[in-house]
């Protein structure tokens, strides 16, 4: 199983809503990533978890809150987002010690 | 700080023509990876280059890592319509453990 799954595929939310994005992998990977990608732009790294601990936070606003409940799951909690936060949110995982990243299909988020 | 330049931004070719994208870093890299993202899709890993001067081939794709480990290229021979997409380099820096994607090169292939 070399798959990273993400739910939901699409999400529309208002600026006062609270929602969560979910990412799951069962490859035994111990590093997991959240990226944000705007149209026609490269993915921008948001957060990195290594062995379930947050190791990199690329100065992301606090309205984005990551969580890694266990080695297979990664969540991104969203609260009070702005319309400019609308983007494709990608999750990726990597086997510790090896550098290939496996990306999930992404969640396309629209903030109204 | 580290800066990366990937060129060209866009490339339109006739099917059968060759294509090359270049990724240039201002500072020495630990290693570099290449990804392909189809329209509406997610990035898919193609290759990783680690050694200075390394050259790797995958069928019609040839990847090179510069001797100084500051630049890399991806060359596609005789493009096909299935090659359409955006090609990104992904850079690892030893200093600070920084991870950066290049700006991407969008390839379109006219049949």
């Amino acid at each position: 199983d070399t798959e990273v799954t993400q739910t939901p595929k699409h999400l529309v939310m208002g600026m006062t809503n609270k929602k969560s994005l979910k990412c799951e992998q069962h490859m035994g990977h111990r590093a997991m990533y959240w990226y944000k990608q705007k149209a026609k732009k490269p993915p921008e790294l948001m957060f990195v978890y290594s062995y379930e601990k947050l190791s990199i936070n690329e100065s992301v606003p606090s309205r984005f809150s990551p969580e890694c409940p266990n080695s297979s799951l990664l969540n991104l909690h969203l609260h009070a987002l702005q319309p400019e936060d609308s983007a494709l949110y990608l999750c990726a995982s990597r086997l510790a010690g090896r550098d290939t990243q496996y990306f999930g299909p992404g969640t396309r988020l629209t903030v109204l | 700080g580290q800066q990366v330049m990937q060129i060209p931004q866009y490339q339109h070719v006739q099917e059968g023509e060759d294509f090359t994208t270049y990724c240039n870093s201002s500072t020495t890299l630990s290693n570099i990876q290449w990804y392909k993202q189809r329209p509406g899709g997610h990035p898919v890993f193609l290759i990783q280059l680690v050694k200075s001067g390394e050259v790797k081939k995958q069928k019609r794709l040839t990847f090179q890592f510069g001797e100084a480990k500051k630049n890399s290229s991806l060359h596609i021979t005789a493009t096909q319509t299935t090659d359409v997409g955006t090609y990104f380099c992904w850079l690892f820096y030893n200093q600070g453990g920084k991870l950066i994607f290049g700006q991407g090169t969008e390839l379109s292939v006219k049949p």
Side-chain angles (χ1 to χ4, degrees):
Chain A
D1 182 6
T2 58
E3 191 179 25
V4 176
T5 59
Q6 287 187 246
T7 54
K9 287 187 178 179
H10 301 275
L11 179 62
V12 179
M13 60 186 290
M15 288 190 283
T16 58
N17 292 158
K18 283 187 180 180
K19 296 285 184 184
S20 296
L21 309 184
K22 182 179 172 181
C23 172
E24 197 165 359
Q25 57 86 17
H26 297 285
M27 295 180 278
H29 291 178
R30 303 313 296 267
M32 295 185 77
Y33 302 74
W34 279 115
Y35 288 90
K36 173 183 176 180
Q37 187 176 28
K38 296 280 230 180
K40 302 288 188 182
K41 296 291 185 183
E44 292 176 50
L45 185 63
M46 300 174 71
F47 302 104
V48 180
Y49 272 83
S50 180
Y51 291 89
E52 295 136 64
K53 293 194 186 310
L54 184 65
S55 60
I56 295 177
N57 176 343
E58 291 287 355
S59 303
V60 179
S62 60
R63 57 186 185 267
F64 294 92
S65 175
E67 179 196 19
C68 190
N70 59 58
S71 59
S72 300
L73 276 175
L74 186 66
N75 298 320
L76 186 63
H77 302 299
L78 314 172
H79 174 54
L81 295 194
Q82 304 296 310
E84 59 264 29
D85 295 321
S86 298
L88 178 67
Y89 287 83
L90 292 161
C91 172
S93 72
R94 177 173 70 90
L95 183 65
R98 297 183 63 183
D99 294 325
T100 302
Q101 280 186 112
Y102 293 87
F103 281 86
T107 294
R108 192 159 296 280
L109 174 68
T110 303
V111 182
L112 301 176
Chain B
Q2 298 97 345
Q3 293 184 19
V4 58
M5 174 77 72
Q6 187 176 352
I7 55 171
Q9 189 176 0
Y10 302 99
Q11 185 81 59
H12 308 287
V13 301
Q14 193 77 33
E15 190 173 22
E17 292 181 338
D18 293 355
F19 159 77
T20 305
T21 174
Y22 301 90
C23 195
N24 301 306
S25 170
S26 58
T27 53
T28 303
L29 300 165
S30 170
N31 55 33
I32 191 167
Q33 297 181 5
W34 285 94
Y35 289 81
K36 176 184 178 182
Q37 187 172 18
R38 292 180 184 273
H42 57 276
V44 174
F45 174 80
L46 295 176
I47 204 84
Q48 174 172 264
L49 303 170
V50 179
K51 299 176 184 176
S52 168
E54 191 169 15
V55 178
K56 288 188 176 180
K57 293 191 175 185
Q58 288 180 352
K59 297 183 180 178
R60 295 179 294 105
L61 277 62
T62 302
F63 304 84
Q64 294 191 20
F65 203 9
E67 293 290 342
K69 298 184 73 172
K70 285 186 176 183
N71 53 69
S72 181
S73 64
L74 157 59
H75 179 82
I76 302 178
T77 304
T79 53
Q80 300 174 358
T81 54
T82 52
D83 297 323
V84 163
T86 301
Y87 293 84
F88 292 102
C89 55
W90 191 56
L91 295 80
F92 285 89
Y93 290 91
N94 277 330
Q95 205 164 15
K98 196 76 174 171
L99 310 170
I100 301 176
F101 268 101
Q103 295 88 349
T105 296
E106 184 178 341
L107 172 64
S108 64
V109 179
K110 189 174 180 181

